[in-house]
């Protein structure tokens, strides 16, 4: 996966494991009901911020 990204190939990585998201991503998109509800930078985001984005955007 890292080799493909380094070659400029887009990689979609779907997981519910927040730790994997932080280590494997250059950009984090949180989706709810088929829509992007948050875009986060893994360099400046922590686990709690990702979880908050999933909770605050899915309850409506």
């Amino acid at each position: 996966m890292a080799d493909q990204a380094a070659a400029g190939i887009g990689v979609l990585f779907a997981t519910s494991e927040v730790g994997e998201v932080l280590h494997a991503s250059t950009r984090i998109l949180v989706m709810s009901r088929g829509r992007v509800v948050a875009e986060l930078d893994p360099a400046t985001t922590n686990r709690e911020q990702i979880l908050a984005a999933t909770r605050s955007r899915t309850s409506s």
Side-chain angles (χ1 to χ4, degrees), residues 15-46:
T15 183
S16 61
E17 299 296 325
V18 177
E20 290 179 354
V21 170
L22 285 169
H23 291 101
S25 303
T26 57
R27 180 172 66 156
I28 299 168
L29 299 176
V30 178
M31 297 185 71
S32 176
R33 298 183 178 138
R35 297 181 189 265
V36 175
V37 295
E39 182 174 349
L40 306 167
D41 179 353
T44 59
T45 301
N46 62 39

